[in-house]
């Protein structure tokens, strides 16, 4: 099968499938175009549907063993795609990455202690800290007003650590500002973590969405940090199977791994569900061609986003997209806050994620999910233009 532009251009009707992106009427009216939640409107790799169908043929769905084949598939994928060596026994299976964030907060900090996060960032980073009654210590990214590109504020990170943060939680590549952190940037953060003796949790769920000339660098390959880091990953984002729920934590430090194992056992999390495991194995072992085709398509769409925004929302400033399928648009020149922007967009029949979902720095910004057929992306941004015209 060819995973070319024609394949990813296929329009699939996802309505009425309990699909958050399409069926959540609190976000979007009937007939709207959803360019919001990080979920792709593409068919998943055929090897995955084949594996699920094959497993469904067997009529028994009882308890599973923790089959080493699952870990082997994950290890093989990370070695092949990212050159990262993970040893058997260094991974723990999870239902989702957010479970991993919460587990790490509970395992490595105590109630009332602070967790440093680099903001604006994926909303559940805040919730993972708050629901566990820890303190969010936000470290704002620096934004270049000219280019819209973001960079780390290492001084502010050091200040958070000096002020008592007990854990550093990173998103790499960074959702929502589409930054691919370099080895140097990660190493600088690792040196700070070492200086203040705190663990690092790095959410690498977007690792596979990286565009040329960039190259993804895992926190686990940074010599200064690998003994104090936990990497969170998942086939769910890469292969668009988030509804199946299967993720993993990877850690090289035996003491930390022991604490994490106890933490997930305490929460009652075991080896994963039958279908999720079958899907993850097929994704990791048999879907490289699909993934290569996907990245090529997204790369084209990434360029299309800039053209469409220049045409339909010319006062917006879109941050350069080094990674992820999410574009971060500064809409402040239109003089509306996120709620007003979202309301106008709802009326015009399109939905984006409002920037404040990622923290207060996101006020006046929209995040655009461009992982959909290009006809849909084009129509969605055209509708954004109509929403802005109604001013
Ligand atoms: C940075 C980041 N982490 C985690 C998640 C959610 O992952 P999961 O569904 O495995 O909890 C997302 C989903 O958008 C994300 O962008």
């Amino acid at each position: 099968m060819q995973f070319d532009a024609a394949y990813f251009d296929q329009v699939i009707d996802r309505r009425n499938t309990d699909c958050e992106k399409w069926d959540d009427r609190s976000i979007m009216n009937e007939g709207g175009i959803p360019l919001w939640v990080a979920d792709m409107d593409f068919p998943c790799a055929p090897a995955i549907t084949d594996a699920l169908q094959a497993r469904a043929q067997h009529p028994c769905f009882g308890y599973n063993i923790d089959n080493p084949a699952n870990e082997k598939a994950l290890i093989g994928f990370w070695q092949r795609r990212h050159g990262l060596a993970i040893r058997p026994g260094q991974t723990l299976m999870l239902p989702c990455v957010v479970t991993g964030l919460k587990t790490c907060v509970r395992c490595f900090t105590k109630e009332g202690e602070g967790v440093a996060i680099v903001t604006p960032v994926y909303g559940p980073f805040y919730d993972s800290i708050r629901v566990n009654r820890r303190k969010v210590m936000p470290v704002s990214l620096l934004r270049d007003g000219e280019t819209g590109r973001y960079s780390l504020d290492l001084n502010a990170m050091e200040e958070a650590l000096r002020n008592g943060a007990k854990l550093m939680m990173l998103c790499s590549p960074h959702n929502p500002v589409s930054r691919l952190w370099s080895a140097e940037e990660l190493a600088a953060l690792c040196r700070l973590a070492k200086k203040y003796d705190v663990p690092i949790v790095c959410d690498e769920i977007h690792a596979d969405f990286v565009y040329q000339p960039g190259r993804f660098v895992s926190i686990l390959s940074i010599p200064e940090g690998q003994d104090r880091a936990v990497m969170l990953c998942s086939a769910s984002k890469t292969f668009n199977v988030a509804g199946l729920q299967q993720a993993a934590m990877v850690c090289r430090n035996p003491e930390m791994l022991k604490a994490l194992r106890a933490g997930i056992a305490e929460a009652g999390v075991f080896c994963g569900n039958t279908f999720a495991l079958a899907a993850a194995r097929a994704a990791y072992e048999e879907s490289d061609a699909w993934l290569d085709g996907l990245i090529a398509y997204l790369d084209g769409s990434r360029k299309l986003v800039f053209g469409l925004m220049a045409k339909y929302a010319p006062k917006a400033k879109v941050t350069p997209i080094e990674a992820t399928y999410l574009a971060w648009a500064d809409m402040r020149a239109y003089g509306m806050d996120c709620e007003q922007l979202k309301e106008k967009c709802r009326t015009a029949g399109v939905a984006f994620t409002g920037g404040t979902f990622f923290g207060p720095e996101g006020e006046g910004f929209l995040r655009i999910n461009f992982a959909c057929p290009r006809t849909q992306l084009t129509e969605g941004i055209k509708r954004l233009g109509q929403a802005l015209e109604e001013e």
Side-chain angles (χ1 to χ4, degrees):
M1 194 179 267
Q2 286 279 345
F3 301 112
D4 54 9
Y7 175 89
F8 291 102
D9 275 338
Q10 290 173 76
V11 174
I12 303 173
D13 187 355
R14 299 180 67 191
R15 289 170 301 166
N16 306 314
T17 60
D18 293 340
C19 169
E20 185 183 20
K21 190 177 185 182
W22 285 86
D23 293 334
D24 186 344
R25 290 284 157 265
S26 69
I27 305 283
M28 191 184 78
N29 298 340
E30 182 81 44
I33 302 239
L35 302 180
W36 66 289
V37 62
D39 172 315
M40 305 189 276
D41 292 314
F42 301 127
C44 76
I48 298 176
T49 39
D50 290 350
L52 291 172
Q53 276 162 4
R55 183 58 188 87
Q57 292 302 312
H58 192 290
C60 298
F61 304 102
Y63 293 116
N64 297 311
I65 53 160
D66 194 357
N67 184 345
N70 298 317
E71 185 186 51
K72 188 165 166 262
L74 182 149
I75 291 174
F77 180 83
W78 278 81
Q79 178 71 61
R80 200 168 68 246
R81 305 286 307 190
H82 301 295
L84 183 72
I86 299 170
R87 278 208 296 275
Q90 293 181 333
T91 72
L92 294 168
M93 297 295 170
L94 294 169
C96 66
V97 163
V98 172
T99 318
L101 292 173
K102 289 179 175 161
T103 305
C104 289
V105 167
R106 278 196 303 276
C107 286
F108 302 132
T109 63
K110 298 194 196 67
E111 271 195 45
E113 287 182 339
V115 179
I117 55 173
V118 176
T119 60
V121 73
Y122 177 60
F125 272 56
Y126 297 86
D127 302 338
S128 308
I129 301 166
R130 288 185 184 133
V131 293
N132 286 305
R133 293 174 292 282
R134 273 66 166 172
K135 194 170 68 176
V136 174
M137 297 182 78
V139 176
S140 287
L141 285 161
L142 302 171
R143 182 173 181 277
D144 182 318
E146 189 83 8
T147 61
R149 188 171 188 260
Y150 286 77
S151 56
L152 294 168
D153 185 344
L154 293 171
N155 290 330
M157 178 56 86
E158 174 142 26
E159 199 181 321
L161 294 167
R162 209 182 299 116
N163 289 337
K166 295 290 181 216
L167 173 67
M168 197 190 279
M169 226 154 68
L170 308 175
C171 185
S172 172
H174 196 98
N175 172 14
V177 304
S178 339
R179 263 303 315 272
L180 176 66
W181 303 120
S182 67
E184 292 71 32
E185 287 169 309
L186 292 171
L189 288 168
C190 290
R191 281 193 290 274
L192 284 176
K194 188 168 182 178
K195 180 169 170 189
Y196 291 88
D197 195 21
V198 301
I200 308 168
V201 174
C202 196
D203 175 345
E204 300 187 356
I205 197 168
H206 292 279
D208 297 303
F209 303 102
V210 170
Y211 307 102
Q212 294 292 340
R215 217 187 134 258
F216 174 73
V217 181
S218 172
I219 196 83
L220 294 179
S221 63
I222 305 293
E224 294 93 328
Q226 49 176 296
D227 60 334
R228 62 180 61 245
V230 179
M231 182 266 263
L232 300 172
C233 63
S234 166
S236 66
K237 196 67 59 193
T238 306
F239 296 95
N240 211 32
V241 288
L244 292 170
Q245 297 226 303
Q246 179 58 46
M249 299 199 257
V250 188
C251 180
R252 300 197 196 287
N253 177 317
E255 287 305 309
M256 288 170 70
L257 202 55
K258 195 170 154 197
L260 290 169
R261 187 171 283 116
I264 58 174
E266 199 178 16
V269 171
F270 298 104
C271 58
N273 89 65
T274 307
F275 288 105
L277 293 169
R281 276 209 298 268
Y284 284 144
E285 291 182 332
E286 299 169 59
S287 303
D288 281 21
W290 178 93
L291 180 54
D292 292 338
L294 171 73
I295 301 304
Y297 187 81
L298 290 174
D299 195 13
S301 303
R302 167 178 80 125
K303 291 164 191 147
L304 181 62
V305 167
F306 287 94
L308 292 170
M309 289 298 280
K311 184 166 176 193
Y312 296 112
K315 289 197 262 175
K317 176 116 213 145
V318 182
T319 286
I321 306 167
E322 299 169 358
T324 78
Y325 52 75
L326 308 161
W328 182 240
D330 178 359
M331 307 298 293
R332 289 174 297 178
Y334 289 95
M336 284 183 270
D337 64 21
C338 283
E339 283 316 304
Q340 292 168 314
L341 281 166
K342 284 196 295 183
E343 221 22 67
K344 290 256 178 206
C345 288
R346 180 194 273 277
T347 308
V350 62
F352 302 96
T353 306
T356 47
F357 175 71
F358 307 93
E361 302 96 330
E363 186 58 277
F365 286 72
L366 289 178
R367 192 193 68 176
I368 305 168
N369 174 352
F370 58 88
C372 60
R374 290 184 191 144
T375 46
Q376 181 180 319
L377 177 64
T378 304
E379 178 60 22
I381 296 184
K382 199 168 161 188
R383 290 185 189 186
L384 170 64
Q386 286 158 11
L388 298 170
E389 266 169 26
E390 283 163 22
E391 237 326 74

